[in-house]
Amino acid sequence: MRFHILTLFPEMVLNGLQTSILGRACGKGLIELNAVNIRDFTQDRHNKVDDYPYGGGAGMLMQAQPVYDAWKSVAGKQKKPVRVLYMSPQGRPFSQELAKQLAQEEELIFLCGHYEGIDERVIDRIVTDQVSLGDYVLTGGELPAMVMIDAISRMVPGVLKNEDSGVTESFHENLLEYPQYTRPEVWEGQAVPQVLLSGDHARVEKWRRQQAQERTARLRPDLYERYDLPGRALLYLQRDKLLHMDMLEDIRRGQAQVLCVRQDGVLLRDRISGVYMITAKNRDAGERLLSLTEPEGAAYTCHQYFLVESIRARFGKDNVGECFQAVYPRKTPSEALLSQAGRVQIGRLDESYTDVVSRHYRLLHDRTYLQRRLACGVMLGAFLDGELAGFAGVHEEGGMGMLEVFEKFRGQGIGSALEAALIGEELERRHTPYCQIFSDNEISLALQKKLGLRIADRKIYWIS
């Protein structure tokens, strides 16, 4: 990998980078350092590269022409465009994730400013990325460039002796590094943790993971909030599986965008429907989570009523539905369930049934939504003597629903057969079958109990 550094101080850059690990990497040809002296490209007879800023102000600005010509001396030799990183406090904060991304490039150009900065015209012309090392001021861009080159080089294959080092140190997976120890075994009365002396690699790995988690939560809570969001969300939600089965399944099926996991709440957004799913221990936690949402046109599934009150007050939404969540707890269909499914002919419905389905089911969704569900192949129909008698399907968020039996066919167990068939299909997909029943729908609640579903003792609320 080649690093080109456009600078007024090439010796400073090379002296700092051609030692230790990076020096060895240069010797092996794994990375190349090309320090380009911007002053070599000035057209001023006194070798000046700066001048006073128009409009007045303190300090001097680097001129556009020598910077542009220095860049051209590098970029003009490349077969394809090369990213130009300008070291600037106005830029995107540098991070381990960005270092990994930049390490995929074959060449990079670093532009190091000095004095009060660089003429904006050349920045606009050549810079692809403005990057900042932090919210403080340095004399020039050389030190930030050196720091970034060091971090990026560690991601280049072969630069580190231990190939695992680049992916096990601090900030990997948004965790700080675990504590490390070397000889002697006891120093100043402090002993190395016994687990590290056990020779049990599995125990050592578990201890290191726990230490990294605890250290990150204590020292960098901002970083910990981004660590293993799906895994931490699952741990939180599993404390009450029945109440949270919709959120659990959204994560397990890969549909969830996990927006935030706190000690007192979880916020998801379903990638397909855009529905927010939220649970919180108290109103304050709920308010903090709701602040992360974009309420315009959004729908929410709330797992506590105080969240509904907050959404009404903050976002002016007042269309609320109260539901109980029902969950099929078995991994395989019971005999009773199989007997229900076999009572009538069940077939898959396609888009050709859009008109009849939309004509009979008008509860919550419009024709376009129903057509999309039919196109996805998740709608089943019950047929008696070749005539469609009812239908049911799976919603975008993953819950079973849209169960409708036509009036003249009611009382014949068709609803039970349809839902039993849906449960069977969900189990074949390795999903946990669940549905959400309006709290005043006594008939449907009784059906869930008949089919062996367990009903949560607390309500959830849809609000839009």
Side-chain angles (χ1 to χ4, degrees):
M1 183 174 188
R2 289 191 187 90
F3 297 100
H4 307 275
I5 308 100
L6 311 184
T7 173
L8 295 177
F9 304 96
E11 297 84 2
M12 173 185 177
V13 172
L14 294 177
N15 289 340
L17 293 174
Q18 289 180 328
T19 58
S20 186
I21 292 174
L22 268 62
R24 290 194 293 271
C26 288
K28 294 177 184 177
L30 298 172
I31 64 172
E32 293 182 26
L33 301 171
N34 174 31
V36 179
N37 192 338
I38 295 172
R39 202 177 294 277
D40 291 344
F41 295 87
T42 182
Q43 296 173 3
D44 183 85
R45 61 180 178 174
H46 301 296
N47 278 342
K48 278 185 60 178
V49 294
D50 62 329
D51 212 328
Y52 294 103
Y54 282 115
M60 307 284 277
L61 277 182
M62 289 177 65
Q63 296 168 302
Q65 174 269 316
V67 171
Y68 182 75
D69 288 349
W71 165 79
K72 205 170 177 182
S73 73
V74 175
K77 299 174 183 176
Q78 310 305 319
K79 295 180 181 179
K80 60 181 182 180
V82 178
R83 289 173 75 168
V84 178
L85 281 65
Y86 175 45
M87 308 296 97
S88 166
Q90 301 174 35
R92 168 186 177 184
F94 187 67
S95 65
Q96 188 72 4
E97 197 58 41
L98 182 54
K100 290 179 188 176
Q101 180 194 122
L102 294 171
Q104 305 304 310
E105 302 287 336
E106 295 178 6
E107 313 218 11
L108 288 170
I109 299 174
F110 288 80
L111 173 58
C112 304
H114 207 67
Y115 310 118
E116 289 300 310
I118 299 177
D119 190 307
E120 191 71 21
R121 291 169 293 185
V122 73
I123 294 173
D124 293 341
R125 178 74 65 89
I126 70 172
V127 170
T128 60
D129 304 79
Q130 294 199 38
V131 188
S132 170
L133 205 58
D135 294 334
Y136 46 85
V137 179
L138 295 173
T139 304
E142 285 75 18
L143 288 174
M146 292 161 67
V147 168
M148 293 179 199
I149 290 170
D150 188 301
I152 295 165
S153 296
R154 296 172 68 85
M155 300 290 111
V156 175
V159 168
L160 299 179
K161 286 183 179 179
N162 180 354
E163 290 297 334
D164 290 335
S165 294
V167 294
T168 58
E169 51 198 2
S170 289
F171 306 114
H172 177 61
E173 295 182 328
N174 289 313
L175 284 180
L176 299 178
E177 194 171 23
Y178 47 78
Q180 300 203 65
Y181 304 85
T182 186
R183 293 186 179 88
E185 187 176 322
V186 179
W187 176 79
E188 295 284 324
Q190 290 181 282
V192 173
Q194 281 299 306
V195 66
L196 299 178
L197 308 174
S198 67
D200 186 331
H201 296 298
R203 282 183 62 208
V204 169
E205 280 303 309
K206 183 178 179 182
W207 180 86
R208 285 175 168 171
R209 170 67 64 166
Q210 290 173 339
Q211 291 293 314
Q213 291 170 352
E214 291 172 8
R215 174 177 280 189
T216 309
R218 184 177 73 255
L219 300 177
R220 288 290 304 277
D222 59 316
L223 203 61
Y224 188 71
E225 284 186 1
R226 304 197 297 272
Y227 158 66
D228 187 22
L229 289 175
R232 287 169 47 229
L234 288 171
L235 286 175
Y236 183 98
L237 299 170
Q238 284 168 345
R239 298 172 191 169
D240 191 338
K241 292 182 181 179
L242 287 182
L243 180 66
H244 295 128
M245 188 53 68
D246 56 336
M247 298 179 75
L248 287 165
E249 279 297 291
D250 212 49
I251 295 172
R252 290 168 180 161
R253 300 181 194 189
Q255 289 186 206
Q257 179 186 6
V258 184
L259 298 176
C260 186
V261 181
R262 298 164 46 96
Q263 292 182 342
D264 49 14
V266 174
L267 173 66
L268 314 178
R269 191 175 195 184
D270 181 74
R271 296 180 192 276
I272 298 176
S273 66
V275 170
Y276 289 106
M277 301 179 181
I278 182 170
T279 184
K281 284 185 178 178
N282 52 59
R283 186 183 295 271
D284 180 64
E287 292 284 357
R288 293 175 185 272
L289 292 171
L290 288 172
S291 295
L292 302 175
T293 69
E294 298 175 5
E296 184 68 30
Y300 296 78
T301 308
C302 304
H303 294 70
Q304 293 81 25
Y305 187 71
F306 58 75
L307 295 169
V308 174
E309 295 175 328
S310 293
I311 291 171
R312 276 176 166 158
R314 291 180 63 173
F315 307 144
K317 297 179 183 292
D318 56 8
N319 183 13
V320 180
E322 296 184 355
C323 300
F324 284 107
Q325 198 138 255
V327 179
Y328 190 73
R330 297 168 59 103
K331 300 292 185 185
T332 56
S334 65
E335 289 298 324
L337 195 72
L338 291 171
S339 66
Q340 292 290 336
R343 295 179 66 176
V344 296
Q345 180 188 352
I346 303 292
R348 196 169 309 283
L349 302 183
D350 58 25
E351 289 178 87
S352 66
Y353 287 90
T354 300
D355 288 338
V356 64
V357 169
S358 60
R359 191 163 59 248
H360 284 87
Y361 187 79
R362 299 176 182 174
L363 187 58
L364 290 175
H365 302 288
D366 60 18
R367 187 179 190 278
T368 303
Y369 177 88
L370 295 169
Q371 187 172 17
R372 286 203 308 268
R373 303 318 293 151
L374 287 162
C376 289
V378 294
M379 298 285 289
L380 299 181
F383 294 86
L384 287 179
D385 299 326
E387 184 179 355
L388 183 65
F391 52 83
V394 178
H395 285 291
E396 288 179 333
E397 301 81 30
M400 301 181 298
M402 297 172 282
L403 177 59
E404 185 72 31
V405 178
F406 302 164
E407 189 170 353
K408 71 175 183 177
F409 296 107
R410 291 174 185 169
Q412 302 180 52
I414 292 173
S416 299
L418 278 165
E419 186 166 337
L422 269 183
I423 291 171
E425 288 207 344
E426 287 293 272
L427 291 173
E428 286 181 11
R429 298 185 184 111
R430 299 182 180 274
H431 296 164
T432 298
Y434 76 92
C435 56
Q436 295 167 350
I437 310 301
F438 283 112
S439 57
D440 59 355
N441 192 339
E442 297 293 341
I443 294 175
S444 186
L445 288 169
L447 173 61
Q448 309 315 311
K449 294 176 182 177
K450 174 183 174 182
L451 294 174
L453 281 78
R454 293 178 58 193
I455 299 175
D457 56 5
R458 287 188 286 162
K459 297 175 184 177
I460 64 170
Y461 305 89
W462 280 80
I463 180 167
S464 60

